[in-house]
Amino acid sequence: MSGGGFPSTRGCRHRQGWLTALLAAVLLSAGSTPVAARLQSTSSNSMEVTRRTLMDNGLGLTPQMGWNSWNHFQCNIEEKLIKQTADAMVSTGLADLGYKYINLDDCWGELNRDSEGNLVPKASTFPHGIKALADYVHSKGLKLGIYSDAGTQTCSKTMPGSLGHEEQDAKTFASWGIDYLKYDNCNDDGTSPKERYPKMSNALLKSGRSIFFSLCEWGREDPATWAPAIGNSWRTTGDISDNWNSMTSRADQNDKWASYAGPGGWNDPDMLEVGNGGMTIAEYRSHFSIWALAKAPLLIGCDIRAIDNVTLGLLSNNEVIAVNQDKLGVQGKKVKKDGDLEVWAGPLNHKKVAVILWNRGPSTATITAHWFDIGLTRTTIVNARDLWEHSTKKSVKGQLSADVASHDCKMYVLTPQ
């Protein structure tokens, strides 16, 4: 049995994201005006970096929530679909729970730029243009996201990338009323993402509009170690697929970078597959729970126009969402592993602790989280709130155990008495 516990902020290396989380929490609790802060990197090059957080573009104090078109629709997107999705986000109540971004992925543009070098919305699928679409989405109280690429073409090769056009494209996005940019990494010029991505970051900051910057270089060059200076989230993994092995492997890959996340910048193990049909209800419950605990972006990837009640129930669990959106902003992580039986945990505001008992094995098993596994003292007495059963066990001492079905999980918030 291997044990973990939470990262200490004393004497630790590679902790700038964790320290920023604490800084932001202090600023928020004190009601202070955000100010620029410089954090001394303790990595091998000892370079001083400016942490881009609420102190720069003001975005990403908590992980982003919304919807993205790719997982379900790939390139099959058009204006009507996006408007209907915005409508459904409101009518289902998801918008009221915090799902605000309606994000276009690849394939929204024409193959070539216009005579002045501008990106052009695809006339056959977005006949009224992106500005009109943004106006519609904004009228619903939501935000519109768009997609580009740090290469000559996007990954689909159906439209231009933004390499060499960063400032021009950022100004275009701002003029359209775009609120979010997902920036992919296909068809590049052979240079490092560390050279290409800061150019778009700076262009967005100079665009005249606050635009959330989501880096997507698939974790190739360990972006958690450098992207906090330039972006609001960064992919730590390759693309997710709608199956158990893909989902669990991305959870594991993302976990190793937990200490770098914090308010203003988040690790991104890719978008949610909940509701797309490739996993069981138990597996989707595990998927959503782990993403929430890990402070991952909660970007719905299914067709919410046709969402079923089970899927809606998973995605609209406000107690699980509250863990993801907790203002302390510390990413939970795997703290204990015994074969296929795992304990994941993380600290929350007001000295609470979120805990997941996760059974990755083939049959029902009992999983126990001891207080020393999850950062509590031996004598602490807690009330344990079950976030999926919506029930509370009072005066729990020393450990928390539950029988957990195969590929399922139990998720709790522990409140010390």
Side-chain angles (χ1 to χ4, degrees), residues 323-357:
V323 170
N324 180 258
Q325 298 291 298
D326 180 75
K327 292 298 189 291
L328 185 61
V330 177
Q331 179 174 329
K333 59 182 299 179
K334 188 187 305 185
V335 297
K336 183 179 181 182
K337 177 178 174 61
D338 182 7
D340 293 323
L341 309 181
E342 298 180 353
V343 177
W344 293 58
L348 302 175
N349 217 358
H350 306 300
K351 299 182 180 180
K352 297 180 181 181
V353 178
V355 180
I356 293 177
L357 309 179

PDB file of all heavy atoms in Angstrom, residues 323-357:
ATOM      1  N   VAL A 323     -16.825  21.302  -5.590  1.00  0.00           N
ATOM      2  CA  VAL A 323     -15.449  20.888  -5.321  1.00  0.00           C
ATOM      3  C   VAL A 323     -14.526  21.431  -6.412  1.00  0.00           C
ATOM      4  O   VAL A 323     -13.449  21.970  -6.146  1.00  0.00           O
ATOM      5  CB  VAL A 323     -15.353  19.351  -5.233  1.00  0.00           C
ATOM      6  CG1 VAL A 323     -13.884  18.897  -5.193  1.00  0.00           C
ATOM      7  CG2 VAL A 323     -16.100  18.840  -4.009  1.00  0.00           C
ATOM      8  N   ASN A 324     -14.950  21.302  -7.652  1.00  0.00           N
ATOM      9  CA  ASN A 324     -14.161  21.798  -8.777  1.00  0.00           C
ATOM     10  C   ASN A 324     -13.956  23.306  -8.701  1.00  0.00           C
ATOM     11  O   ASN A 324     -12.881  23.818  -9.024  1.00  0.00           O
ATOM     12  CB  ASN A 324     -14.863  21.417 -10.080  1.00  0.00           C
ATOM     13  CG  ASN A 324     -14.115  21.878 -11.316  1.00  0.00           C
ATOM     14  OD1 ASN A 324     -14.479  22.870 -11.935  1.00  0.00           O
ATOM     15  ND2 ASN A 324     -13.082  21.145 -11.689  1.00  0.00           N
ATOM     16  N   GLN A 325     -14.982  24.010  -8.279  1.00  0.00           N
ATOM     17  CA  GLN A 325     -14.956  25.473  -8.281  1.00  0.00           C
ATOM     18  C   GLN A 325     -14.537  26.076  -6.940  1.00  0.00           C
ATOM     19  O   GLN A 325     -14.619  27.287  -6.756  1.00  0.00           O
ATOM     20  CB  GLN A 325     -16.337  25.998  -8.677  1.00  0.00           C
ATOM     21  CG  GLN A 325     -16.773  25.584 -10.074  1.00  0.00           C
ATOM     22  CD  GLN A 325     -15.964  26.254 -11.169  1.00  0.00           C
ATOM     23  OE1 GLN A 325     -15.981  27.477 -11.297  1.00  0.00           O
ATOM     24  NE2 GLN A 325     -15.241  25.462 -11.955  1.00  0.00           N
ATOM     25  N   ASP A 326     -14.075  25.250  -6.031  1.00  0.00           N
ATOM     26  CA  ASP A 326     -13.665  25.727  -4.710  1.00  0.00           C
ATOM     27  C   ASP A 326     -12.605  26.821  -4.838  1.00  0.00           C
ATOM     28  O   ASP A 326     -11.640  26.690  -5.586  1.00  0.00           O
ATOM     29  CB  ASP A 326     -13.105  24.548  -3.907  1.00  0.00           C
ATOM     30  CG  ASP A 326     -12.661  24.957  -2.523  1.00  0.00           C
ATOM     31  OD1 ASP A 326     -13.535  25.179  -1.672  1.00  0.00           O
ATOM     32  OD2 ASP A 326     -11.434  25.073  -2.316  1.00  0.00           O
ATOM     33  N   LYS A 327     -12.794  27.883  -4.082  1.00  0.00           N
ATOM     34  CA  LYS A 327     -11.956  29.073  -4.239  1.00  0.00           C
ATOM     35  C   LYS A 327     -10.501  28.869  -3.814  1.00  0.00           C
ATOM     36  O   LYS A 327      -9.624  29.640  -4.227  1.00  0.00           O
ATOM     37  CB  LYS A 327     -12.566  30.247  -3.451  1.00  0.00           C
ATOM     38  CG  LYS A 327     -13.890  30.754  -4.016  1.00  0.00           C
ATOM     39  CD  LYS A 327     -13.723  31.290  -5.431  1.00  0.00           C
ATOM     40  CE  LYS A 327     -14.986  31.995  -5.940  1.00  0.00           C
ATOM     41  NZ  LYS A 327     -16.099  31.062  -6.175  1.00  0.00           N
ATOM     42  N   LEU A 328     -10.223  27.879  -2.995  1.00  0.00           N
ATOM     43  CA  LEU A 328      -8.834  27.630  -2.616  1.00  0.00           C
ATOM     44  C   LEU A 328      -8.003  27.256  -3.839  1.00  0.00           C
ATOM     45  O   LEU A 328      -6.834  27.627  -3.955  1.00  0.00           O
ATOM     46  CB  LEU A 328      -8.746  26.534  -1.558  1.00  0.00           C
ATOM     47  CG  LEU A 328      -7.358  26.252  -0.978  1.00  0.00           C
ATOM     48  CD1 LEU A 328      -6.792  27.489  -0.284  1.00  0.00           C
ATOM     49  CD2 LEU A 328      -7.404  25.074  -0.013  1.00  0.00           C
ATOM     50  N   GLY A 329      -8.613  26.499  -4.749  1.00  0.00           N
ATOM     51  CA  GLY A 329      -7.959  26.229  -6.027  1.00  0.00           C
ATOM     52  C   GLY A 329      -6.779  25.297  -5.968  1.00  0.00           C
ATOM     53  O   GLY A 329      -5.839  25.420  -6.766  1.00  0.00           O
ATOM     54  N   VAL A 330      -6.788  24.334  -5.062  1.00  0.00           N
ATOM     55  CA  VAL A 330      -5.703  23.351  -4.981  1.00  0.00           C
ATOM     56  C   VAL A 330      -6.154  22.049  -5.639  1.00  0.00           C
ATOM     57  O   VAL A 330      -7.169  21.475  -5.263  1.00  0.00           O
ATOM     58  CB  VAL A 330      -5.288  23.094  -3.525  1.00  0.00           C
ATOM     59  CG1 VAL A 330      -4.210  22.011  -3.461  1.00  0.00           C
ATOM     60  CG2 VAL A 330      -4.771  24.375  -2.878  1.00  0.00           C
ATOM     61  N   GLN A 331      -5.403  21.586  -6.618  1.00  0.00           N
ATOM     62  CA  GLN A 331      -5.764  20.369  -7.340  1.00  0.00           C
ATOM     63  C   GLN A 331      -5.633  19.155  -6.434  1.00  0.00           C
ATOM     64  O   GLN A 331      -4.578  18.912  -5.844  1.00  0.00           O
ATOM     65  CB  GLN A 331      -4.874  20.200  -8.572  1.00  0.00           C
ATOM     66  CG  GLN A 331      -5.170  18.932  -9.366  1.00  0.00           C
ATOM     67  CD  GLN A 331      -4.372  18.857 -10.654  1.00  0.00           C
ATOM     68  OE1 GLN A 331      -4.057  19.866 -11.269  1.00  0.00           O
ATOM     69  NE2 GLN A 331      -4.039  17.635 -11.087  1.00  0.00           N
ATOM     70  N   GLY A 332      -6.723  18.370  -6.323  1.00  0.00           N
ATOM     71  CA  GLY A 332      -6.648  17.103  -5.621  1.00  0.00           C
ATOM     72  C   GLY A 332      -5.852  16.094  -6.418  1.00  0.00           C
ATOM     73  O   GLY A 332      -5.700  16.214  -7.637  1.00  0.00           O
ATOM     74  N   LYS A 333      -5.368  15.053  -5.736  1.00  0.00           N
ATOM     75  CA  LYS A 333      -4.514  14.094  -6.431  1.00  0.00           C
ATOM     76  C   LYS A 333      -4.642  12.703  -5.816  1.00  0.00           C
ATOM     77  O   LYS A 333      -5.242  12.516  -4.759  1.00  0.00           O
ATOM     78  CB  LYS A 333      -3.069  14.565  -6.393  1.00  0.00           C
ATOM     79  CG  LYS A 333      -2.508  14.744  -4.987  1.00  0.00           C
ATOM     80  CD  LYS A 333      -1.074  15.261  -5.031  1.00  0.00           C
ATOM     81  CE  LYS A 333      -0.159  14.290  -5.747  1.00  0.00           C
ATOM     82  NZ  LYS A 333       1.235  14.746  -5.842  1.00  0.00           N
ATOM     83  N   LYS A 334      -4.036  11.747  -6.467  1.00  0.00           N
ATOM     84  CA  LYS A 334      -3.993  10.377  -5.959  1.00  0.00           C
ATOM     85  C   LYS A 334      -3.051  10.327  -4.766  1.00  0.00           C
ATOM     86  O   LYS A 334      -1.869  10.668  -4.881  1.00  0.00           O
ATOM     87  CB  LYS A 334      -3.510   9.424  -7.051  1.00  0.00           C
ATOM     88  CG  LYS A 334      -3.604   7.956  -6.691  1.00  0.00           C
ATOM     89  CD  LYS A 334      -2.949   7.071  -7.753  1.00  0.00           C
ATOM     90  CE  LYS A 334      -3.493   7.317  -9.134  1.00  0.00           C
ATOM     91  NZ  LYS A 334      -2.933   6.352 -10.123  1.00  0.00           N
ATOM     92  N   VAL A 335      -3.572   9.908  -3.614  1.00  0.00           N
ATOM     93  CA  VAL A 335      -2.743   9.895  -2.409  1.00  0.00           C
ATOM     94  C   VAL A 335      -2.477   8.483  -1.888  1.00  0.00           C
ATOM     95  O   VAL A 335      -1.641   8.294  -1.008  1.00  0.00           O
ATOM     96  CB  VAL A 335      -3.383  10.743  -1.285  1.00  0.00           C
ATOM     97  CG1 VAL A 335      -3.477  12.201  -1.704  1.00  0.00           C
ATOM     98  CG2 VAL A 335      -4.747  10.203  -0.880  1.00  0.00           C
ATOM     99  N   LYS A 336      -3.172   7.487  -2.437  1.00  0.00           N
ATOM    100  CA  LYS A 336      -3.000   6.120  -1.946  1.00  0.00           C
ATOM    101  C   LYS A 336      -3.444   5.143  -3.032  1.00  0.00           C
ATOM    102  O   LYS A 336      -4.452   5.373  -3.717  1.00  0.00           O
ATOM    103  CB  LYS A 336      -3.846   5.922  -0.687  1.00  0.00           C
ATOM    104  CG  LYS A 336      -3.725   4.571  -0.008  1.00  0.00           C
ATOM    105  CD  LYS A 336      -4.607   4.568   1.237  1.00  0.00           C
ATOM    106  CE  LYS A 336      -4.540   3.266   2.001  1.00  0.00           C
ATOM    107  NZ  LYS A 336      -5.445   3.299   3.179  1.00  0.00           N
ATOM    108  N   LYS A 337      -2.694   4.065  -3.172  1.00  0.00           N
ATOM    109  CA  LYS A 337      -3.010   3.079  -4.206  1.00  0.00           C
ATOM    110  C   LYS A 337      -2.709   1.686  -3.682  1.00  0.00           C
ATOM    111  O   LYS A 337      -1.635   1.427  -3.137  1.00  0.00           O
ATOM    112  CB  LYS A 337      -2.184   3.356  -5.468  1.00  0.00           C
ATOM    113  CG  LYS A 337      -2.374   2.348  -6.598  1.00  0.00           C
ATOM    114  CD  LYS A 337      -1.545   2.756  -7.799  1.00  0.00           C
ATOM    115  CE  LYS A 337      -1.593   1.691  -8.907  1.00  0.00           C
ATOM    116  NZ  LYS A 337      -2.974   1.460  -9.406  1.00  0.00           N
ATOM    117  N   ASP A 338      -3.664   0.778  -3.831  1.00  0.00           N
ATOM    118  CA  ASP A 338      -3.477  -0.626  -3.485  1.00  0.00           C
ATOM    119  C   ASP A 338      -4.015  -1.442  -4.646  1.00  0.00           C
ATOM    120  O   ASP A 338      -5.202  -1.758  -4.700  1.00  0.00           O
ATOM    121  CB  ASP A 338      -4.219  -0.951  -2.191  1.00  0.00           C
ATOM    122  CG  ASP A 338      -4.021  -2.404  -1.760  1.00  0.00           C
ATOM    123  OD1 ASP A 338      -3.200  -3.106  -2.395  1.00  0.00           O
ATOM    124  OD2 ASP A 338      -4.698  -2.830  -0.812  1.00  0.00           O
ATOM    125  N   GLY A 339      -3.161  -1.726  -5.618  1.00  0.00           N
ATOM    126  CA  GLY A 339      -3.612  -2.393  -6.829  1.00  0.00           C
ATOM    127  C   GLY A 339      -4.570  -1.496  -7.598  1.00  0.00           C
ATOM    128  O   GLY A 339      -4.215  -0.387  -7.993  1.00  0.00           O
ATOM    129  N   ASP A 340      -5.797  -1.977  -7.796  1.00  0.00           N
ATOM    130  CA  ASP A 340      -6.812  -1.202  -8.519  1.00  0.00           C
ATOM    131  C   ASP A 340      -7.638  -0.301  -7.604  1.00  0.00           C
ATOM    132  O   ASP A 340      -8.570   0.365  -8.082  1.00  0.00           O
ATOM    133  CB  ASP A 340      -7.762  -2.154  -9.259  1.00  0.00           C
ATOM    134  CG  ASP A 340      -7.071  -2.896 -10.387  1.00  0.00           C
ATOM    135  OD1 ASP A 340      -6.216  -2.287 -11.060  1.00  0.00           O
ATOM    136  OD2 ASP A 340      -7.396  -4.088 -10.604  1.00  0.00           O
ATOM    137  N   LEU A 341      -7.343  -0.297  -6.332  1.00  0.00           N
ATOM    138  CA  LEU A 341      -8.124   0.487  -5.366  1.00  0.00           C
ATOM    139  C   LEU A 341      -7.342   1.749  -4.991  1.00  0.00           C
ATOM    140  O   LEU A 341      -6.194   1.670  -4.559  1.00  0.00           O
ATOM    141  CB  LEU A 341      -8.411  -0.349  -4.117  1.00  0.00           C
ATOM    142  CG  LEU A 341      -9.017  -1.731  -4.367  1.00  0.00           C
ATOM    143  CD1 LEU A 341      -9.277  -2.449  -3.043  1.00  0.00           C
ATOM    144  CD2 LEU A 341     -10.303  -1.633  -5.194  1.00  0.00           C
ATOM    145  N   GLU A 342      -7.982   2.890  -5.172  1.00  0.00           N
ATOM    146  CA  GLU A 342      -7.272   4.151  -5.005  1.00  0.00           C
ATOM    147  C   GLU A 342      -8.050   5.124  -4.128  1.00  0.00           C
ATOM    148  O   GLU A 342      -9.279   5.120  -4.086  1.00  0.00           O
ATOM    149  CB  GLU A 342      -7.019   4.800  -6.370  1.00  0.00           C
ATOM    150  CG  GLU A 342      -6.138   3.953  -7.271  1.00  0.00           C
ATOM    151  CD  GLU A 342      -5.885   4.579  -8.625  1.00  0.00           C
ATOM    152  OE1 GLU A 342      -6.496   5.620  -8.942  1.00  0.00           O
ATOM    153  OE2 GLU A 342      -5.079   4.009  -9.389  1.00  0.00           O
ATOM    154  N   VAL A 343      -7.278   5.998  -3.470  1.00  0.00           N
ATOM    155  CA  VAL A 343      -7.835   7.138  -2.747  1.00  0.00           C
ATOM    156  C   VAL A 343      -7.266   8.398  -3.373  1.00  0.00           C
ATOM    157  O   VAL A 343      -6.043   8.541  -3.499  1.00  0.00           O
ATOM    158  CB  VAL A 343      -7.488   7.092  -1.248  1.00  0.00           C
ATOM    159  CG1 VAL A 343      -8.019   8.345  -0.540  1.00  0.00           C
ATOM    160  CG2 VAL A 343      -8.038   5.834  -0.595  1.00  0.00           C
ATOM    161  N   TRP A 344      -8.145   9.296  -3.785  1.00  0.00           N
ATOM    162  CA  TRP A 344      -7.756  10.613  -4.286  1.00  0.00           C
ATOM    163  C   TRP A 344      -8.305  11.639  -3.306  1.00  0.00           C
ATOM    164  O   TRP A 344      -9.412  11.468  -2.774  1.00  0.00           O
ATOM    165  CB  TRP A 344      -8.328  10.861  -5.679  1.00  0.00           C
ATOM    166  CG  TRP A 344      -7.766   9.995  -6.766  1.00  0.00           C
ATOM    167  CD1 TRP A 344      -7.777   8.628  -6.819  1.00  0.00           C
ATOM    168  CD2 TRP A 344      -7.133  10.429  -7.968  1.00  0.00           C
ATOM    169  NE1 TRP A 344      -7.182   8.184  -7.983  1.00  0.00           N
ATOM    170  CE2 TRP A 344      -6.776   9.278  -8.708  1.00  0.00           C
ATOM    171  CE3 TRP A 344      -6.823  11.691  -8.492  1.00  0.00           C
ATOM    172  CZ2 TRP A 344      -6.141   9.353  -9.941  1.00  0.00           C
ATOM    173  CZ3 TRP A 344      -6.189  11.768  -9.730  1.00  0.00           C
ATOM    174  CH2 TRP A 344      -5.841  10.607 -10.441  1.00  0.00           C
ATOM    175  N   ALA A 345      -7.570  12.716  -3.082  1.00  0.00           N
ATOM    176  CA  ALA A 345      -8.032  13.699  -2.114  1.00  0.00           C
ATOM    177  C   ALA A 345      -7.387  15.047  -2.364  1.00  0.00           C
ATOM    178  O   ALA A 345      -6.347  15.154  -3.035  1.00  0.00           O
ATOM    179  CB  ALA A 345      -7.729  13.236  -0.685  1.00  0.00           C
ATOM    180  N   GLY A 346      -8.010  16.082  -1.804  1.00  0.00           N
ATOM    181  CA  GLY A 346      -7.455  17.422  -1.921  1.00  0.00           C
ATOM    182  C   GLY A 346      -8.099  18.367  -0.926  1.00  0.00           C
ATOM    183  O   GLY A 346      -9.271  18.194  -0.559  1.00  0.00           O
ATOM    184  N   PRO A 347      -7.355  19.369  -0.476  1.00  0.00           N
ATOM    185  CA  PRO A 347      -7.888  20.337   0.486  1.00  0.00           C
ATOM    186  C   PRO A 347      -8.850  21.310  -0.179  1.00  0.00           C
ATOM    187  O   PRO A 347      -8.674  21.683  -1.349  1.00  0.00           O
ATOM    188  CB  PRO A 347      -6.637  21.057   0.988  1.00  0.00           C
ATOM    189  CG  PRO A 347      -5.681  20.982  -0.163  1.00  0.00           C
ATOM    190  CD  PRO A 347      -5.948  19.659  -0.822  1.00  0.00           C
ATOM    191  N   LEU A 348      -9.843  21.739   0.570  1.00  0.00           N
ATOM    192  CA  LEU A 348     -10.809  22.734   0.130  1.00  0.00           C
ATOM    193  C   LEU A 348     -10.768  23.930   1.075  1.00  0.00           C
ATOM    194  O   LEU A 348     -10.125  23.884   2.129  1.00  0.00           O
ATOM    195  CB  LEU A 348     -12.224  22.148   0.109  1.00  0.00           C
ATOM    196  CG  LEU A 348     -12.457  20.920  -0.751  1.00  0.00           C
ATOM    197  CD1 LEU A 348     -13.886  20.408  -0.559  1.00  0.00           C
ATOM    198  CD2 LEU A 348     -12.194  21.216  -2.233  1.00  0.00           C
ATOM    199  N   ASN A 349     -11.463  24.963   0.688  1.00  0.00           N
ATOM    200  CA  ASN A 349     -11.593  26.134   1.544  1.00  0.00           C
ATOM    201  C   ASN A 349     -12.252  25.760   2.873  1.00  0.00           C
ATOM    202  O   ASN A 349     -12.941  24.742   2.970  1.00  0.00           O
ATOM    203  CB  ASN A 349     -12.438  27.183   0.821  1.00  0.00           C
ATOM    204  CG  ASN A 349     -11.948  28.602   1.075  1.00  0.00           C
ATOM    205  OD1 ASN A 349     -10.998  28.818   1.822  1.00  0.00           O
ATOM    206  ND2 ASN A 349     -12.605  29.571   0.462  1.00  0.00           N
ATOM    207  N   HIS A 350     -12.047  26.571   3.885  1.00  0.00           N
ATOM    208  CA  HIS A 350     -12.645  26.375   5.203  1.00  0.00           C
ATOM    209  C   HIS A 350     -12.208  25.063   5.854  1.00  0.00           C
ATOM    210  O   HIS A 350     -12.975  24.433   6.592  1.00  0.00           O
ATOM    211  CB  HIS A 350     -14.173  26.446   5.126  1.00  0.00           C
ATOM    212  CG  HIS A 350     -14.674  27.703   4.477  1.00  0.00           C
ATOM    213  ND1 HIS A 350     -14.397  28.954   4.967  1.00  0.00           N
ATOM    214  CD2 HIS A 350     -15.421  27.891   3.356  1.00  0.00           C
ATOM    215  CE1 HIS A 350     -14.965  29.867   4.189  1.00  0.00           C
ATOM    216  NE2 HIS A 350     -15.587  29.262   3.204  1.00  0.00           N
ATOM    217  N   LYS A 351     -10.988  24.613   5.523  1.00  0.00           N
ATOM    218  CA  LYS A 351     -10.360  23.434   6.132  1.00  0.00           C
ATOM    219  C   LYS A 351     -11.095  22.125   5.836  1.00  0.00           C
ATOM    220  O   LYS A 351     -10.913  21.122   6.533  1.00  0.00           O
ATOM    221  CB  LYS A 351     -10.218  23.630   7.646  1.00  0.00           C
ATOM    222  CG  LYS A 351      -9.348  24.811   8.027  1.00  0.00           C
ATOM    223  CD  LYS A 351      -9.185  24.941   9.533  1.00  0.00           C
ATOM    224  CE  LYS A 351      -8.300  26.128   9.889  1.00  0.00           C
ATOM    225  NZ  LYS A 351      -8.134  26.277  11.350  1.00  0.00           N
ATOM    226  N   LYS A 352     -11.921  22.129   4.797  1.00  0.00           N
ATOM    227  CA  LYS A 352     -12.579  20.898   4.376  1.00  0.00           C
ATOM    228  C   LYS A 352     -11.644  20.077   3.486  1.00  0.00           C
ATOM    229  O   LYS A 352     -10.637  20.588   2.982  1.00  0.00           O
ATOM    230  CB  LYS A 352     -13.866  21.220   3.625  1.00  0.00           C
ATOM    231  CG  LYS A 352     -14.913  21.946   4.477  1.00  0.00           C
ATOM    232  CD  LYS A 352     -16.166  22.233   3.665  1.00  0.00           C
ATOM    233  CE  LYS A 352     -17.197  22.985   4.506  1.00  0.00           C
ATOM    234  NZ  LYS A 352     -18.438  23.258   3.742  1.00  0.00           N
ATOM    235  N   VAL A 353     -11.980  18.809   3.307  1.00  0.00           N
ATOM    236  CA  VAL A 353     -11.184  17.923   2.456  1.00  0.00           C
ATOM    237  C   VAL A 353     -12.131  17.145   1.536  1.00  0.00           C
ATOM    238  O   VAL A 353     -13.132  16.595   1.998  1.00  0.00           O
ATOM    239  CB  VAL A 353     -10.353  16.926   3.292  1.00  0.00           C
ATOM    240  CG1 VAL A 353      -9.574  15.985   2.381  1.00  0.00           C
ATOM    241  CG2 VAL A 353      -9.402  17.676   4.222  1.00  0.00           C
ATOM    242  N   ALA A 354     -11.821  17.122   0.257  1.00  0.00           N
ATOM    243  CA  ALA A 354     -12.567  16.297  -0.695  1.00  0.00           C
ATOM    244  C   ALA A 354     -11.850  14.967  -0.862  1.00  0.00           C
ATOM    245  O   ALA A 354     -10.620  14.917  -0.953  1.00  0.00           O
ATOM    246  CB  ALA A 354     -12.675  17.005  -2.041  1.00  0.00           C
ATOM    247  N   VAL A 355     -12.630  13.881  -0.899  1.00  0.00           N
ATOM    248  CA  VAL A 355     -12.065  12.536  -0.983  1.00  0.00           C
ATOM    249  C   VAL A 355     -12.835  11.717  -2.007  1.00  0.00           C
ATOM    250  O   VAL A 355     -14.072  11.758  -2.048  1.00  0.00           O
ATOM    251  CB  VAL A 355     -12.126  11.819   0.387  1.00  0.00           C
ATOM    252  CG1 VAL A 355     -11.542  10.409   0.283  1.00  0.00           C
ATOM    253  CG2 VAL A 355     -11.386  12.609   1.452  1.00  0.00           C
ATOM    254  N   ILE A 356     -12.100  10.958  -2.816  1.00  0.00           N
ATOM    255  CA  ILE A 356     -12.716   9.989  -3.724  1.00  0.00           C
ATOM    256  C   ILE A 356     -12.134   8.616  -3.438  1.00  0.00           C
ATOM    257  O   ILE A 356     -10.905   8.449  -3.378  1.00  0.00           O
ATOM    258  CB  ILE A 356     -12.477  10.359  -5.200  1.00  0.00           C
ATOM    259  CG1 ILE A 356     -13.220  11.650  -5.555  1.00  0.00           C
ATOM    260  CG2 ILE A 356     -12.929   9.227  -6.122  1.00  0.00           C
ATOM    261  CD1 ILE A 356     -12.974  12.137  -6.970  1.00  0.00           C
ATOM    262  N   LEU A 357     -12.998   7.644  -3.238  1.00  0.00           N
ATOM    263  CA  LEU A 357     -12.613   6.231  -3.169  1.00  0.00           C
ATOM    264  C   LEU A 357     -12.938   5.648  -4.532  1.00  0.00           C
ATOM    265  O   LEU A 357     -14.102   5.561  -4.918  1.00  0.00           O
ATOM    266  CB  LEU A 357     -13.392   5.520  -2.064  1.00  0.00           C
ATOM    267  CG  LEU A 357     -13.380   6.181  -0.675  1.00  0.00           C
ATOM    268  CD1 LEU A 357     -14.220   5.360   0.308  1.00  0.00           C
ATOM    269  CD2 LEU A 357     -11.961   6.369  -0.162  1.00  0.00           C
TER     270      LEU A 357
END
